[in-house]
Amino acid sequence: KAGVTQTPRYLIKTRGQQVTLSCSPISGHRSVSWYQQTPGQGLQFLFEYFSETQRNKGNFPGRFSGRQFSNSRSEMNVSTLELGDSALYLCASSPRDYPGETQYFGPGTRLLVL
Amino acid sequence: GNSVTQMEGPVTLSEEAFLTINCTYTATGYPSLFWYVQYPGEGLQLLLKATKADDKGSNKGFEATYRKETTSFHLEKGSVQVSDSAVYFCALSVEFQGAQKLVFGQGTRLTINP
């Protein structure tokens, strides 16, 4: 099976712009989670989607949003970019989101905000 | 709240040395515990996991035992190789707003010298 794929892999934007990142989960996986990784804050949970519904969200401002499509692919959007949004954005998928179930990560999208 | 504390890095060892990376956690309920590894320029890969107390996870010579009495999940390997150089993350999985999310430690950078 193909792994989790994320596009684009690298992105450079300027402050005030918006950006959309894409994630394709492993075939058959219905749960998709997003994480932000920065040197200062480490890995922080953004949100999780299951069957096109956002079920939980981490402590991030409303500028961070997402959605999931019927084929389980997910997109994440950040509006009005700030310098502090520069980070590696990781997407992870799992089959059902049961306790103890493994989340499989993609390679990430590295976003640089200038 | 839920949190994970890892041994501060960086850690530098010689090839064939014994490795221990300490991890302790605070959690409500009964979390599942994970070790993920991140190689340069890549996403996170699952190394091993344990879903209940006294379970031992193992993979590629690495081991960790879920110790509920000490709230610990220390990672060990008897003889490290240069190829083990990476950043290691301890994580727990908890239910949050009706779905699972991962809470990560800050990561420990490991360098193995030949």
Side-chain angles (χ1 to χ4, degrees):
Chain A
K1 269 187 184 178
V4 177
T5 59
Q6 293 186 245
T7 57
R9 291 293 309 276
Y10 303 93
L11 209 45
I12 300 175
K13 292 286 186 179
T14 56
R15 277 183 301 174
Q17 288 187 309
Q18 75 165 19
V19 67
T20 299
L21 313 181
S22 180
C23 171
S24 292
I26 292 171
S27 177
H29 286 195
R30 297 171 64 191
S31 171
V32 174
S33 298
W34 289 88
Y35 295 83
Q36 181 196 63
Q37 185 177 21
T38 60
Q41 299 299 315
L43 281 151
Q44 303 279 314
F45 172 77
L46 278 157
F47 30 63
E48 186 264 357
Y49 287 87
F50 185 88
S51 293
E52 302 178 66
T53 301
Q54 183 185 93
R55 298 194 298 177
N56 52 7
K57 184 172 181 180
N59 190 25
F60 279 83
R63 301 185 295 107
F64 291 81
S65 63
R67 58 178 175 168
Q68 186 181 35
F69 301 94
S70 58
N71 62 358
S72 293
R73 189 176 72 83
S74 177
E75 288 182 347
M76 183 191 123
N77 186 275
V78 187
S79 62
T80 318
L81 284 165
E82 300 178 359
L83 295 180
D85 297 333
S86 295
L88 180 66
Y89 290 89
L90 293 164
C91 163
S93 75
S94 61
R96 293 165 300 271
D97 190 48
Y98 286 171
E101 195 167 68
T102 299
Q103 292 188 25
Y104 296 88
F105 284 80
T109 295
R110 188 166 294 281
L111 171 65
L112 177 61
V113 182
L114 301 176
Chain B
N2 301 301
S3 65
V4 175
T5 301
Q6 272 182 249
M7 174 175 165
E8 290 259 353
V11 174
T12 302
L13 296 172
S14 298
E15 206 167 19
E16 299 184 3
F18 184 86
L19 168 71
T20 300
I21 301 178
N22 290 338
C23 171
T24 57
Y25 67 90
T26 302
T28 52
Y30 303 96
S32 296
L33 301 173
F34 302 81
W35 277 100
Y36 280 88
V37 59
Q38 187 175 35
Y39 297 100
E42 298 185 13
L44 275 68
Q45 298 177 24
L46 176 70
L47 184 58
L48 51 84
K49 73 176 187 182
T51 58
K52 61 183 188 296
D54 300 326
D55 267 2
K56 177 187 281 188
S58 61
N59 185 28
K60 299 180 181 180
F62 291 90
E63 293 183 339
T65 301
Y66 188 158
R67 301 285 189 201
K68 188 179 175 188
E69 63 276 12
T70 55
T71 61
S72 65
F73 193 54
H74 304 321
L75 182 68
E76 296 182 336
K77 186 175 185 182
S79 177
V80 292
Q81 306 301 312
V82 172
S83 57
D84 294 327
S85 298
V87 181
Y88 291 80
F89 292 92
C90 184
L92 60 82
S93 175
V94 291
E95 183 174 331
F96 176 67
Q97 297 174 2
Q100 298 294 309
K101 76 165 186 177
L102 288 170
V103 175
F104 289 91
Q106 67 269 39
T108 301
R109 182 175 299 277
L110 174 66
T111 301
I112 307 299
N113 294 321

